[in-house]
Amino acid sequence: MYLMNNYARFDVGFERGEGATLFDKNGKDYIDFAAGIGVNALGYANKSVTKAICKQAKKLLHTSNIYHIKPQEKLAKEISKQLGYHTYAFFCNSGAEANECAIKLARKYGTTHFSKKKFEIISLGNSFHGRTLATLRATGQDKFHPEIFAPYTQGFKFCSSIDEVIASISDETVAVMIELVQGEGGIKAFDKDEIKRLSKELKKRELLLITDEVQCGVYRTGEFVTSKIYDIKPDIITFAKGLGGGVPIGACVSRKDIFTSGDHGSTFGGNFLACASGLATLKELKKLKKSGELKKIAKNFDSELDGLLSSYPKIFSSKQGIGMMLGLVLKDESNLVKIIQSSLKNGVLVLRSGKDTLRFLPPLNISKQEIKEGFARLKKAINEI
């Protein structure tokens, strides 16, 4: 074995995929309700994305950001267009990197915009913002702050509610970073009125609102950004996961052009391949949304999930989430791993979130037949435990 021992992998590997279905080396098929943890927004072997990748690969993969990259400029413009207001984008390779960029943007804003430096960023309990030292510290879960990695980057504060966030704003506070739907924290969506109140309060104080939409963005909750559902315009939005259709890409998008040359950078970020894939992915997802298909698929999936909830009242207590970012809360958290393992054995992939939530992040174009078959397999898996 030549890999570092940092993943507790399931004993299965996949060789190909089609639609929302994966196949292992023996040809066994698995209905995918996980989408590579929300990455494969258009499933597997999507014709448009594959064509765009192949076409770009024949010309250029990478030149670095010391030269102009046309697909990057196009992707930045498309993100701004889909948001509906002017923004500036920085491209990187992951959600953690996008959040690192957001933190640096906020820190610079806090230094240059006020007479007295502001640097503190408030985040929410049960949040998750990445695995670098800074984004780990921004994550509001104690289990992500083990002593083995200390000391951590300072300048972060955690609050358990929006009321506490507003009450905790100090002279050192420059921004609030929030997942509108917490991906690793139980698929919990915040109250719309509370978020609008927070946004209004920050705007009044000229402080920044950063929405981490790494998991809930790019149509996962039904709109291009979840912040649209909440009727707010954040100062900074971070993207990754579904943005590249499977190719690694992250983006930090700001309404203010804060950085100057040399403030930040990335060797690989926003290269030709990643941005070509991102453009094709956004085009297909926009089409899916505009046609009404996305809404139909989400309604069908939600209906099946409601059926599962009502069929197993002794197993599940409630449903959480928005759109195609959903979770079922278990009454007994010890059943969570059992269900995930039994589901894998029965040919359906599901995820965990927090201690007690079964998480669903299916490809956004999953077929009606795949949904039906996936839930049939999931019921079989639950019955076996």
Side-chain angles (χ1 to χ4, degrees), residues 33-35 37-42 213-226 242 285 294 298 322-326 360-364:
F33 284 174
I37 317 184
V39 169
N40 303 306
L42 291 167
E213 305 216 21
V214 168
Q215 189 167 144
C216 69
V218 195
Y219 294 102
R220 173 56 56 186
T221 54
E223 296 289 348
F224 176 55
V225 283
T226 304
L285 288 173
L294 181 61
I322 304 173
M324 298 275 270
M325 185 176 178
L326 298 164
F360 299 85
L361 300 171
L364 301 180

XYZ file of all heavy atoms in Angstrom, residues 33-35 37-42 213-226 242 285 294 298 322-326 360-364:
273
model
N -26.886 8.091 -4.913
C -27.581 9.189 -4.246
C -26.571 10.101 -3.530
O -26.943 10.877 -2.657
C -28.570 8.641 -3.206
C -29.841 8.066 -3.792
C -30.765 7.419 -2.972
C -30.124 8.153 -5.146
C -31.942 6.893 -3.484
C -31.298 7.618 -5.675
C -32.212 6.987 -4.840
N -25.281 9.994 -3.916
C -24.230 10.762 -3.249
C -23.501 11.711 -4.201
O -22.996 12.749 -3.791
C -23.226 9.812 -2.602
N -23.402 11.338 -5.477
C -22.789 12.178 -6.520
C -21.379 12.644 -6.171
O -21.028 13.803 -6.398
C -23.686 13.375 -6.849
N -20.083 13.150 -3.252
C -20.318 14.186 -2.242
C -20.704 15.505 -2.922
O -20.125 16.571 -2.680
C -19.123 14.368 -1.281
C -18.547 13.012 -0.841
C -19.571 15.167 -0.043
C -17.425 13.097 0.168
N -21.695 15.415 -3.796
C -22.272 16.602 -4.426
C -21.494 17.157 -5.597
O -21.835 18.226 -6.111
N -20.453 16.466 -6.034
C -19.598 16.968 -7.119
C -20.189 16.692 -8.494
O -20.216 17.579 -9.356
C -18.187 16.346 -7.014
C -17.368 16.628 -8.274
C -17.468 16.873 -5.782
N -20.648 15.477 -8.705
C -21.108 15.061 -10.032
C -22.553 15.506 -10.274
O -23.479 14.697 -10.303
C -20.967 13.546 -10.174
C -19.533 13.094 -9.943
O -18.609 13.588 -10.571
N -19.347 12.186 -9.001
N -22.708 16.798 -10.458
C -24.041 17.397 -10.587
C -24.814 16.856 -11.780
O -26.044 16.817 -11.768
C -23.921 18.914 -10.692
N -24.103 16.445 -12.832
C -24.748 15.895 -14.029
C -24.479 14.398 -14.165
O -24.550 13.836 -15.257
C -24.250 16.641 -15.272
C -24.729 18.088 -15.375
C -23.956 18.847 -16.454
C -26.230 18.160 -15.661
N -21.201 28.397 -0.314
C -22.140 27.617 -1.128
C -21.402 26.506 -1.877
O -21.778 26.103 -2.974
C -22.914 28.545 -2.070
C -23.627 29.666 -1.324
C -24.963 30.058 -1.910
O -25.560 29.245 -2.640
O -25.414 31.188 -1.627
N -20.330 26.034 -1.250
C -19.537 24.946 -1.827
C -20.416 23.724 -2.075
O -20.328 23.082 -3.129
C -18.353 24.594 -0.898
C -17.694 23.293 -1.312
C -17.328 25.727 -0.907
N -21.278 23.411 -1.116
C -22.149 22.250 -1.276
C -23.565 22.622 -1.699
O -24.175 21.923 -2.503
C -22.195 21.449 0.027
C -22.888 20.105 -0.097
C -22.657 19.195 1.097
O -23.542 18.449 1.508
N -21.467 19.239 1.675
N -24.092 23.734 -1.192
C -25.497 24.067 -1.476
C -25.670 24.922 -2.731
O -26.799 25.189 -3.144
C -26.133 24.760 -0.273
S -25.504 26.421 0.077
N -24.555 25.346 -3.352
C -24.646 26.168 -4.554
C -24.733 25.371 -5.837
O -24.820 24.147 -5.830
N -24.745 26.070 -6.965
C -24.781 25.477 -8.316
C -26.008 24.576 -8.490
O -25.891 23.400 -8.828
C -23.478 24.732 -8.656
C -23.401 24.470 -10.157
C -22.243 25.533 -8.228
N -27.182 25.121 -8.192
C -28.495 24.504 -8.415
C -28.822 23.341 -7.485
O -29.870 22.710 -7.629
C -28.647 24.048 -9.880
C -28.659 25.204 -10.849
C -27.526 25.529 -11.595
C -29.789 25.996 -11.015
C -27.516 26.605 -12.475
C -29.792 27.079 -11.892
C -28.650 27.371 -12.617
O -28.650 28.438 -13.493
N -27.961 23.034 -6.519
C -28.214 21.913 -5.611
C -29.524 22.087 -4.850
O -30.238 21.110 -4.599
C -27.019 21.787 -4.653
C -27.140 20.787 -3.529
C -27.431 19.371 -3.961
N -26.477 18.814 -4.896
C -26.617 17.631 -5.480
N -27.716 16.902 -5.239
N -25.727 17.175 -6.337
N -29.865 23.337 -4.496
C -31.110 23.581 -3.757
C -32.228 24.136 -4.643
O -33.264 24.584 -4.151
C -30.862 24.546 -2.582
O -30.239 25.734 -3.072
C -29.965 23.906 -1.527
N -31.996 24.115 -5.972
C -33.038 24.532 -6.903
C -32.749 25.809 -7.648
O -33.281 26.038 -8.737
N -31.927 26.679 -7.069
C -31.499 27.914 -7.726
C -29.986 27.861 -7.908
O -29.305 27.054 -7.278
C -31.876 29.144 -6.894
C -33.370 29.361 -6.711
C -34.067 29.817 -7.990
O -33.359 30.190 -8.964
O -35.306 29.819 -8.012
N -29.451 28.741 -8.766
C -28.003 28.750 -8.970
C -27.270 28.935 -7.653
O -26.266 28.279 -7.379
C -27.612 29.858 -9.960
C -26.129 29.993 -10.144
C -25.345 28.907 -10.520
C -25.509 31.213 -9.916
C -23.972 29.035 -10.667
C -24.139 31.349 -10.064
C -23.362 30.259 -10.441
N -27.789 29.861 -6.816
C -27.250 30.023 -5.466
C -28.395 29.968 -4.459
O -29.491 30.463 -4.716
C -26.481 31.355 -5.287
C -25.105 31.266 -5.915
C -27.251 32.539 -5.849
N -28.116 29.363 -3.312
C -29.124 29.280 -2.263
C -29.446 30.659 -1.715
O -30.552 30.909 -1.232
C -28.630 28.350 -1.140
O -28.302 27.080 -1.711
C -29.702 28.125 -0.091
N -20.084 20.963 -7.345
C -20.815 20.818 -8.591
C -20.409 21.736 -9.716
O -20.826 21.543 -10.864
N -26.874 22.730 -16.629
C -27.694 22.895 -15.432
C -28.697 24.047 -15.600
O -29.843 23.954 -15.146
C -26.807 23.147 -14.218
C -26.002 21.937 -13.724
C -25.031 22.345 -12.633
C -26.927 20.834 -13.222
N -35.579 20.293 -13.612
C -34.939 20.248 -12.302
C -35.982 20.233 -11.186
O -35.866 19.465 -10.226
C -33.998 21.453 -12.132
C -33.235 21.546 -10.806
C -32.336 20.341 -10.611
C -32.417 22.837 -10.742
N -36.595 17.125 -8.579
C -36.512 17.377 -7.141
C -37.812 16.993 -6.440
O -37.792 16.419 -5.345
C -36.190 18.847 -6.886
N -33.161 21.372 1.517
C -33.860 22.091 0.444
C -33.473 21.471 -0.898
O -32.313 21.105 -1.112
C -33.470 23.589 0.420
C -33.731 24.260 1.770
C -34.233 24.338 -0.676
C -33.221 25.696 1.861
N -34.420 21.394 -1.817
C -34.142 20.936 -3.179
C -33.606 19.522 -3.215
O -34.267 18.574 -2.779
N -32.383 19.372 -3.746
C -31.756 18.053 -3.858
C -30.579 17.947 -2.881
O -29.604 17.233 -3.117
C -31.281 17.831 -5.289
C -32.394 17.846 -6.312
S -33.217 16.254 -6.493
C -32.198 15.547 -7.784
N -30.687 18.673 -1.785
C -29.749 18.584 -0.665
C -30.592 18.270 0.558
O -31.111 19.154 1.231
C -29.000 19.910 -0.489
C -27.923 19.870 0.568
S -27.021 21.451 0.630
C -25.891 21.114 1.992
N -30.742 16.958 0.829
C -31.725 16.511 1.794
C -31.137 15.539 2.813
O -30.121 14.896 2.567
C -32.890 15.834 1.064
C -33.670 16.723 0.092
C -34.517 15.874 -0.849
C -34.558 17.710 0.857
N -28.563 12.920 1.377
C -28.838 12.624 -0.032
C -28.399 13.809 -0.903
O -28.894 14.916 -0.742
C -30.331 12.366 -0.239
C -30.857 11.193 0.543
C -31.258 11.355 1.867
C -30.950 9.927 -0.033
C -31.740 10.278 2.606
C -31.434 8.854 0.703
C -31.825 9.024 2.018
N -27.461 13.543 -1.830
C -26.988 14.543 -2.784
C -26.930 13.911 -4.176
O -25.852 13.796 -4.773
C -25.587 15.039 -2.398
C -25.386 15.704 -1.035
C -23.902 15.905 -0.766
C -26.129 17.026 -0.961
N -28.050 13.493 -4.735
C -28.017 12.787 -6.022
C -27.646 13.708 -7.174
O -27.750 14.942 -7.053
C -29.465 12.301 -6.178
C -30.270 13.326 -5.439
C -29.427 13.699 -4.248
N -27.202 13.151 -8.305
C -27.014 13.975 -9.498
C -28.315 14.730 -9.788
O -29.414 14.182 -9.618
C -26.705 12.947 -10.590
C -26.066 11.818 -9.851
C -26.814 11.740 -8.550
N -28.213 15.968 -10.222
C -29.405 16.800 -10.413
C -30.244 16.383 -11.616
O -31.390 16.802 -11.742
C -28.989 18.267 -10.536
C -28.215 18.828 -9.329
C -27.865 20.295 -9.562
C -29.019 18.668 -8.044
